[in-house]
Amino acid sequence: MKMLPLFYCFLIFSTASLPADVKDVLEDNYKAIELKTDEKTRCIYMDVNVNEVDGMLILDNRSPRTILALENLEKFKLTKGDSAGNDRLPNGETTSMYQVAAERLNLGGSLMFNMSSLAASAQHGNGVPDMGEDGKLGGDVFGAVQCIFHYPEKKFYWADKDGELDTSFADAMEELDVIAMELGENGADVAMVVKINGTDAHFLVDTAASESLLAKEHLKDMGLTVPKLPEGVSLPVLGHIEEMKLGSVTLKNLPLRVVSLSAQKLDSPARKIAGIIGSDLLSETGAVLDYTNKKIYFPDIEVDGSEFSPHPGGFPFKPEVRKRLLSSSEAVFTGTLIDTKNLAQVIKVGGEEYLVFGIAFKETEKIKGQSKETQVVKVRFKRSLGNKGAEELLQAKFDQSNDGWIVFKNRRAVLELDQTVFRDSALRREELEKK
């Protein structure tokens, strides 16, 4: 049985395991602000105080300004002023931006700015995660200090060097056995070169994007194709990447949603933007983003991307195994998890003892067998895990923003969890059609 990767337990970037000289650099040259993370979006947020009123802002490395949510100005006892141009929305469209008279902006209780004017624009309903409903921190703040976004620690490190570029952290990181990826400019954005199945491709880094994406316009350049969805199916269009390399990180079997990015006008004469690296991959891979020195670091690890993607693609079976599973299943259906329970049963398989759990689903679509409003399947866990360990694996398996599942209800054997339940997606459906 596979287990979701718990990167924070062993990443070389955690302070507990950083070499002494790198830890000394951070302690001697930077101050740290604790960040919060939305478990669903993986984006990072900071507690702020605007004119003595507490709030929370998302860290957006692609936003040139710190912008408050127009809908929440009353919360901070602020009113919108004159027009200040347009603000970029996550979908590439723009919305009107306004000046806002303010006095103080306090970040994390330790970094104070005297702000004669902030900006505000409509933030809600435009793909901005709920935790960032008060707005976003942008380049005006990040550029005023020398800062590092540390995903494994969920910390924002900052240093005031009076305008002098501090390279102490970058110099110390060069001594580690990791690859420093350069973040090249793409207008107001920063991009990095990643390898898609061995081919170089330019991706933007976007800390405010909850989901990494592939650009529909450049799939062919990356040697990628996407399946044609069946008539009437509203599932997302997915591209399946056999291997993506982000510096030292290797992601295998990674499905990403495919969207058109042409409206965002991201391409430049020097590079074609093939996609966006969002906080899902930055968080799961344990990235450290040195905003000031325009470098990003990843640990030296290899990960199965389908373990954490909300859009896993392709069954992890050979065709003959898939056919055998289909034929031995009394029912195959899609459903939503409603309950799990230890059935207090112990079985032996190949000399190993297993605990048996029942998992109940509300059926949403019958694919094979008799349709039932509630379907219950049995899955097994090694007895050595104990009840708590099995429950943790169940929680990890089903803690996904996509709650649609394809389930095989087997009449002959109690299977392991990862032989029974799979997240629903267009690519999964395509595999089923090959039965």
Side-chain angles (χ1 to χ4, degrees), residues 101-307:
E103 297 178 9
R104 289 178 299 280
L105 175 65
N106 186 296
L107 306 182
S110 63
L111 182 55
M112 179 76 74
F113 289 90
N114 292 318
M115 310 287 281
S116 59
S117 177
L118 285 170
S121 71
Q123 299 285 306
H124 298 178
N126 295 307
V128 176
D130 292 341
M131 283 184 68
E133 64 178 4
D134 291 328
K136 53 192 176 185
L137 281 175
D140 51 353
V141 167
F142 305 144
V145 295
Q146 304 207 25
C147 59
I148 296 167
F149 301 2
H150 202 299
Y151 273 87
E153 291 184 350
K154 300 298 182 288
K155 288 182 179 179
F156 175 85
Y157 285 98
W158 64 276
D160 185 2
K161 296 294 182 181
D162 298 325
E164 296 181 5
L165 181 63
D166 175 48
T167 62
S168 57
F169 180 75
D171 292 342
M173 290 297 284
E174 284 186 5
E175 301 300 320
L176 301 183
D177 186 23
V178 296
I179 298 175
M181 300 188 69
E182 301 289 338
L183 295 174
E185 294 292 339
N186 189 71
D189 290 313
V190 291
M192 65 180 179
V193 178
V194 308
K195 285 192 177 296
I196 303 293
N197 298 336
T199 300
D200 287 349
H202 294 276
F203 276 68
L204 292 183
V205 178
D206 190 346
T207 60
S210 61
E211 183 181 8
S212 298
L213 303 168
L214 290 173
K216 178 181 178 181
E217 295 79 4
H218 303 302
L219 288 176
K220 186 176 180 180
D221 297 338
M222 294 181 281
L224 300 176
T225 59
V226 296
K228 184 177 180 180
L229 293 180
E231 188 75 22
V233 173
S234 59
L235 293 169
V237 178
L238 302 178
H240 186 260
I241 301 173
E242 292 181 7
E243 180 181 272
M244 173 187 277
K245 292 187 72 69
L246 307 174
S248 307
V249 166
T250 301
L251 295 166
K252 300 280 191 177
N253 187 34
L254 176 67
L256 293 179
R257 190 158 62 95
V258 177
V259 300
S260 176
L261 295 177
S262 59
Q264 299 194 33
K265 299 178 181 179
L266 300 175
D267 291 339
S268 71
R271 67 193 70 189
K272 302 298 182 183
I273 298 302
I276 291 175
I277 301 295
S279 271
D280 53 348
L281 291 187
L282 294 173
S283 176
E284 286 290 350
T285 58
V288 176
L289 171 59
D290 187 341
Y291 182 93
T292 305
N293 291 297
K294 296 296 183 284
K295 295 179 184 291
I296 190 166
Y297 304 91
F298 295 93
D300 185 8
I301 56 175
E302 182 176 306
V303 187
D304 187 330
S306 69
E307 286 299 304

Side-chain angles (χ1 to χ4, degrees), residues 1 325 328-331 333 337 339-347 349 354-361 375-381 394 398 407-421:
M1 179 178 298
L325 181 61
S328 64
S329 296
E330 65 180 28
F333 60 91
L337 178 72
D339 193 21
T340 64
K341 184 178 181 180
N342 187 340
L343 299 180
Q345 297 178 13
V346 177
I347 62 173
V349 179
Y354 291 84
L355 300 174
V356 180
F357 276 67
I359 308 179
F361 295 87
Q375 292 272 15
V376 179
V377 299
K378 295 180 180 181
V379 297
R380 69 189 186 215
F381 299 89
L394 282 167
F398 295 109
V407 186
F408 293 84
K409 187 172 181 179
N410 195 287
R411 64 176 180 268
R412 296 181 181 174
V414 180
L415 299 177
E416 294 188 0
L417 185 64
D418 286 330
Q419 295 174 307
T420 308
V421 184

Side-chain angles (χ1 to χ4, degrees), residues 17-179:
S17 57
L18 275 175
D21 54 347
V22 179
K23 287 193 293 184
D24 289 344
V25 166
L26 287 174
E27 293 174 0
D28 295 343
N29 295 276
Y30 295 84
K31 296 181 181 179
I33 296 176
E34 298 284 345
L35 300 175
K36 291 183 170 62
T37 305
D38 185 311
E39 292 184 0
K40 181 178 292 187
T41 68
R42 313 296 177 91
C43 294
I44 46 180
Y45 307 83
M46 185 183 296
D47 289 325
V48 301
N49 185 287
V50 181
N51 287 1
E52 308 301 329
V53 178
D54 292 335
M56 185 180 294
L57 302 181
I58 189 171
L59 272 64
D60 186 351
N61 71 297
R62 291 184 63 199
S63 176
R65 297 186 64 174
T66 295
I67 302 175
L68 299 178
L70 196 62
E71 301 89 337
N72 283 19
L73 285 184
E74 186 177 347
K75 167 182 175 177
F76 297 106
K77 301 179 177 60
L78 299 172
T79 57
K80 75 175 185 180
D82 296 335
S83 174
N86 293 320
D87 180 25
R88 172 189 59 82
L89 298 177
N91 62 6
E93 298 178 358
T94 58
T95 186
S96 297
M97 186 165 58
Y98 302 91
Q99 294 180 357
V100 176
E103 297 178 9
R104 289 178 299 280
L105 175 65
N106 186 296
L107 306 182
S110 63
L111 182 55
M112 179 76 74
F113 289 90
N114 292 318
M115 310 287 281
S116 59
S117 177
L118 285 170
S121 71
Q123 299 285 306
H124 298 178
N126 295 307
V128 176
D130 292 341
M131 283 184 68
E133 64 178 4
D134 291 328
K136 53 192 176 185
L137 281 175
D140 51 353
V141 167
F142 305 144
V145 295
Q146 304 207 25
C147 59
I148 296 167
F149 301 2
H150 202 299
Y151 273 87
E153 291 184 350
K154 300 298 182 288
K155 288 182 179 179
F156 175 85
Y157 285 98
W158 64 276
D160 185 2
K161 296 294 182 181
D162 298 325
E164 296 181 5
L165 181 63
D166 175 48
T167 62
S168 57
F169 180 75
D171 292 342
M173 290 297 284
E174 284 186 5
E175 301 300 320
L176 301 183
D177 186 23
V178 296
I179 298 175

Side-chain angles (χ1 to χ4, degrees), residues 356-390:
V356 180
F357 276 67
I359 308 179
F361 295 87
K362 181 180 180 181
E363 182 182 296
T364 55
E365 178 186 348
K366 182 194 77 171
I367 298 175
K368 175 187 175 182
Q370 182 180 355
S371 180
K372 295 181 179 180
E373 182 177 350
T374 301
Q375 292 272 15
V376 179
V377 299
K378 295 180 180 181
V379 297
R380 69 189 186 215
F381 299 89
K382 288 184 178 179
R383 191 175 187 179
S384 58
L385 284 171
N387 188 67
K388 182 178 180 181

